[in-house]
Amino acid sequence: MKLGIYGYGNLGRGVEAAVRQNEDAELVGIFTRRSPDQVISESGAPVFSADDVFSFEKEIDVLVLCGGSATDLPVLSPMLAEHFNLIDSFDTHARIPEHFQKVDQAARRGEKTAMISGGWDPGLFSLARLYAGAVLPHGSGYTFWGRGVSQGHSDAIRRIPGVRDARQYTVPVPEAVAAVENGESPSLSARQMHKRECWVVAEEGADREAIREAIVTMPNYFADYDTSVTFVTEEELKRDHAGLPHGGRVIRTGATGLREENRSTFAFSLKLDSNPEFTSLVLVALARAVLRMHRRGDLGCKTVFDAAPADLSPLSAEELRKRFL
Amino acid sequence: MKLGIYGYGNLGRGVEAAVRQNEDAELVGIFTRRSPDQVISESGAPVFSADDVFSFEKEIDVLVLCGGSATDLPVLSPMLAEHFNLIDSFDTHARIPEHFQKVDQAARRGEKTAMISGGWDPGLFSLARLYAGAVLPHGSGYTFWGRGVSQGHSDAIRRIPGVRDARQYTVPVPEAVAAVENGESPSLSARQMHKRECWVVAEEGADREAIREAIVTMPNYFADYDTSVTFVTEEELKRDHAGLPHGGRVIRTGATGLREENRSTFAFSLKLDSNPEFTSLVLVALARAVLRMHRRGDLGCKTVFDAAPADLSPLSAEELRKRFL
């Protein structure tokens, strides 16, 4: 399959690397909204201007969109879905119905197949929630994230006056995880499930107490959580918090049997040194599924829920049954 | 969906219970190879002779086969797939290609959809192995089973002269699990991955040392493992080992990034108080997928790899995106 990368940040570089791990994948080019002669790709793949992508309609089997969910993808995915099979990693949960609708209309107009919200959450975690819900109808489900860097929360801190840089870790509360794994089906508030750890570089002379206060009282982001704020130097932030690790777990416990006296625990977890690199590997596997669905004439907007598992793998049905069943 | 249960042992009773947890499922009847007037169903569902199943061709949407893999399913699934959409839990790995072939031919002859090898392994664990392999191509995968009762190994012990009853637990070696979870990609022998624990009731006057020797030297089943044998009374076996717990985990670790210096760990685990009850819940969810595939004209033999995740859930695509994506 011939892939194109649209957007060349952390995720775009991850997809570039992921292509190398998939022998059936080939990178046609990287499309950037910066000046292409100022961008050198890590693998040596050719770099083009984003505006030129439309001249590659015949060359690209699936376009992998590597923009952000806040402002990029709501515009890009509907615009590009008319011309390309594509996969994006749209993760603004509340806006998924609207995004789905727009992408669906565009893809159907262009007779393309476009999958939205790929990656690990949404993505693999969504699959775990769906499968767990289907096999344990009488149960309670939980998703814990972390310990990992949340880019959205890090950005929110950076916007506070006096903050030069920041890194926010989402941390699951161990007692909550233990209770859930133990099959206790507790009712848990946001605060009881996750803690927030902030590592902040302040501008010289900034009022640290004011920054701390601005963080811990910030609605939606921090006010509902136990939040720790630690000030560090720029060097310390670079040295100790340069990576983008993440992960988490989806757990569902439920009853089985006629008298429902037996319990089952379904648990899926990921531990990732690099969130964007792993997300990229998922996107490439899903791009394979997008292309296969398109070749079968299965058009319009799709999610991970619509792709048969076999379509994610480069192996034949016979090989899959032999090696994985 | 209207389901029939064919075979009424532990698994058949599990499916009977699982139907009650699924509001869109209804149990048409239980088909037994025993005399139906000697079988009273736990839920009060009607019991019929297995021979009468063919008069229910129009009543049953999907037949759930609850026979054993050794002798029942190799005959039953091909025989019934011509007349019914069905799901079985065939788990003799080496014979899956042959079973697939026979069931496929029968189902195509009858224009039916038949899924083989449903449950948790094969089944959910197979899905985890496939997804993990697709998203971490450069990685190492492991499956650990237990702690749980292996019926096949328990039966093998029962066939030894002088043994009245027995229960065998498959136990993962904690050090091996820890090394794998730690991302070490070790090369592990059968002995290094699992231990076998045997609880045996001997006949009065039987030679216990001979029984122990017969167990620990038994090829395929025990010779390649560290095996403990403990003799107990019939009462102790009933009191302490009456349940059929099982579970296990699928773990894959792999490299990400252009220089592959980052690691990812993908882990899926199940902990089940009752193996047959949970297996049954999976079979009912898969029966739903079988029926939907059949209604779309997707005929022949299928496995879990062929069913779109959405097809396992009673929820609509919109609800799934809203609740699980």
Side-chain angles (χ1 to χ4, degrees):
Chain A
M1 53 178 172
K2 293 174 184 165
L3 303 182
I5 293 173
Y6 193 102
Y8 195 56
N10 283 329
L11 193 58
R13 281 192 293 275
V15 174
E16 184 183 15
V19 167
R20 292 216 166 171
Q21 285 203 18
N22 288 274
E23 285 171 26
D24 62 338
E26 184 190 321
L27 185 53
V28 174
I30 293 161
F31 298 86
T32 177
R33 283 160 295 172
R34 287 172 280 169
S35 171
D37 49 332
Q38 281 170 11
V39 176
I40 296 163
S41 71
E42 305 228 356
S43 67
V47 180
F48 306 101
S49 167
D51 299 333
D52 294 338
V53 73
F54 298 102
S55 58
F56 288 84
E57 278 191 34
K58 290 212 170 57
E59 270 79 4
I60 293 172
D61 289 325
V62 184
L63 193 60
V64 185
L65 269 57
C66 301
S69 294
T71 55
D72 298 340
L73 297 175
V75 177
L76 292 176
S77 301
M79 178 185 89
L80 293 163
E82 193 172 340
H83 304 275
F84 296 94
N85 298 317
L86 63 80
I87 168 92
D88 79 18
S89 57
F90 187 76
D91 66 358
T92 310
H93 201 269
R95 298 181 62 189
I96 286 178
E98 180 194 344
H99 190 61
F100 184 92
Q101 202 72 25
K102 285 186 183 166
V103 172
D104 193 52
Q105 283 166 6
R108 287 182 191 282
R109 258 197 317 271
E111 300 190 343
K112 300 294 179 190
T113 306
M115 187 180 285
I116 61 163
S117 305
W120 62 272
D121 197 358
L124 298 182
F125 272 25
S126 318
L127 285 172
R129 287 186 287 261
L130 186 159
Y131 280 119
V135 302
L136 290 173
H138 289 188
S140 312
Y142 302 83
T143 301
F144 292 97
W145 294 276
R147 186 178 191 260
V149 172
S150 162
Q151 310 252 40
H153 287 77
S154 301
D155 289 343
I157 300 171
R158 285 190 202 102
R159 286 191 294 265
I160 295 171
V163 171
R164 178 178 291 176
D165 203 355
R167 198 55 64 108
Q168 193 268 184
Y169 293 88
T170 304
V171 185
V173 175
E175 295 77 14
V177 176
V180 168
E181 284 182 336
N182 205 22
E184 291 172 24
S185 308
S187 179
L188 296 168
S189 67
R191 188 182 302 273
Q192 287 170 316
M193 289 187 77
H194 294 97
K195 289 186 280 197
R196 302 206 173 273
E197 243 179 49
C198 310
W199 303 83
V200 182
V201 181
E203 302 281 4
E204 245 187 73
D207 180 345
R208 295 182 170 203
E209 202 35 59
I211 292 173
R212 183 193 305 273
E213 193 61 21
I215 295 173
V216 302
T217 60
M218 196 186 296
N220 301 320
Y221 285 87
F222 295 102
D224 298 334
Y225 300 87
D226 290 337
T227 302
S228 72
V229 179
T230 309
F231 289 94
V232 291
T233 66
E234 202 155 6
E235 293 67 39
E236 286 169 329
L237 196 78
K238 281 215 177 85
R239 186 190 68 203
D240 303 332
H241 306 283
L244 293 170
H246 220 313
R249 61 196 96 195
V250 172
I251 308 173
R252 188 173 178 91
T253 60
T256 67
L258 210 61
R259 277 160 296 279
E260 306 215 338
E261 55 209 350
N262 289 316
R263 304 286 303 172
S264 294
T265 302
F266 176 117
F268 175 57
S269 70
L270 290 170
K271 208 173 118 213
L272 314 171
D273 283 350
S274 167
N275 180 356
E277 287 173 9
F278 182 76
T279 300
S280 300
L281 281 161
V282 180
L283 292 179
V284 170
L286 291 172
R288 183 180 290 120
V290 166
L291 181 58
R292 291 188 182 165
M293 286 191 274
H294 184 254
R295 287 185 174 153
R296 283 198 298 266
D298 198 354
L299 310 177
C301 190
K302 306 290 169 191
T303 73
V304 287
F305 298 153
D306 304 309
D311 282 338
L312 274 72
S313 172
L315 302 177
S316 72
E318 291 73 24
E319 281 177 290
L320 286 177
R321 289 196 294 270
K322 196 174 163 191
R323 290 175 54 174
F324 293 136
L325 194 63
Chain B
M1 54 178 171
K2 292 174 185 167
L3 303 181
I5 293 172
Y6 193 102
Y8 196 56
N10 284 329
L11 193 58
R13 280 191 293 274
V15 174
E16 183 183 15
V19 168
R20 290 216 169 173
Q21 285 204 18
N22 288 274
E23 285 172 26
D24 62 337
E26 184 189 321
L27 184 53
V28 173
I30 293 160
F31 299 86
T32 177
R33 283 162 295 172
R34 287 172 281 169
S35 172
D37 48 331
Q38 281 170 13
V39 176
I40 296 164
S41 71
E42 305 229 357
S43 67
V47 181
F48 305 100
S49 166
D51 299 332
D52 294 337
V53 73
F54 297 101
S55 59
F56 287 85
E57 277 190 36
K58 290 212 169 57
E59 269 79 6
I60 293 171
D61 289 325
V62 184
L63 193 59
V64 185
L65 269 57
C66 300
S69 295
T71 55
D72 299 340
L73 297 175
V75 177
L76 291 176
S77 300
M79 177 184 90
L80 293 163
E82 193 173 339
H83 304 274
F84 295 94
N85 297 317
L86 63 79
I87 169 90
D88 79 17
S89 57
F90 187 75
D91 66 358
T92 309
H93 201 270
R95 298 182 63 189
I96 286 178
E98 179 195 345
H99 191 61
F100 184 92
Q101 202 72 26
K102 284 186 184 167
V103 171
D104 193 52
Q105 283 165 5
R108 288 182 191 282
R109 258 197 317 271
E111 301 190 342
K112 300 293 180 190
T113 304
M115 186 180 286
I116 61 164
S117 304
W120 62 272
D121 198 359
L124 297 182
F125 271 25
S126 317
L127 285 171
R129 287 186 288 262
L130 185 158
Y131 280 119
V135 301
L136 290 173
H138 290 188
S140 312
Y142 302 84
T143 301
F144 292 97
W145 294 276
R147 185 173 190 261
V149 172
S150 162
Q151 310 253 40
H153 287 78
S154 301
D155 290 343
I157 299 171
R158 286 191 201 102
R159 286 191 294 265
I160 295 170
V163 171
R164 178 178 293 177
D165 202 355
R167 197 55 65 108
Q168 194 268 183
Y169 293 88
T170 304
V171 185
V173 175
E175 294 77 15
V177 176
V180 168
E181 284 183 336
N182 206 23
E184 291 172 26
S185 308
S187 178
L188 297 167
S189 66
R191 188 182 302 273
Q192 287 170 316
M193 289 187 76
H194 294 96
K195 291 186 278 196
R196 301 204 173 274
E197 242 178 50
C198 310
W199 303 82
V200 182
V201 181
E203 302 279 3
E204 244 188 74
D207 180 345
R208 294 181 169 205
E209 203 34 60
I211 291 173
R212 182 193 306 273
E213 192 62 20
I215 294 172
V216 301
T217 60
M218 196 185 296
N220 303 319
Y221 285 87
F222 296 101
D224 298 334
Y225 300 87
D226 290 336
T227 301
S228 71
V229 178
T230 309
F231 288 95
V232 292
T233 65
E234 201 154 5
E235 293 67 39
E236 286 169 331
L237 195 78
K238 280 216 177 84
R239 187 191 66 204
D240 302 332
H241 306 283
L244 293 170
H246 219 312
R249 61 196 96 195
V250 171
I251 308 173
R252 188 172 178 92
T253 61
T256 66
L258 210 61
R259 277 160 295 280
E260 307 215 338
E261 55 209 350
N262 289 317
R263 306 286 303 172
S264 294
T265 302
F266 176 118
F268 175 58
S269 70
L270 290 171
K271 209 174 119 214
L272 314 171
D273 282 351
S274 167
N275 180 356
E277 287 173 9
F278 182 75
T279 300
S280 299
L281 281 160
V282 180
L283 292 179
V284 170
L286 291 171
R288 183 179 291 119
V290 165
L291 181 58
R292 291 187 182 165
M293 287 190 273
H294 183 255
R295 286 185 175 154
R296 284 198 298 266
D298 198 354
L299 309 178
C301 190
K302 307 290 169 190
T303 73
V304 286
F305 299 154
D306 304 309
D311 282 338
L312 274 72
S313 172
L315 302 177
S316 71
E318 291 73 23
E319 281 177 291
L320 286 178
R321 289 197 293 271
K322 196 172 163 191
R323 290 174 55 172
F324 293 135
L325 193 62

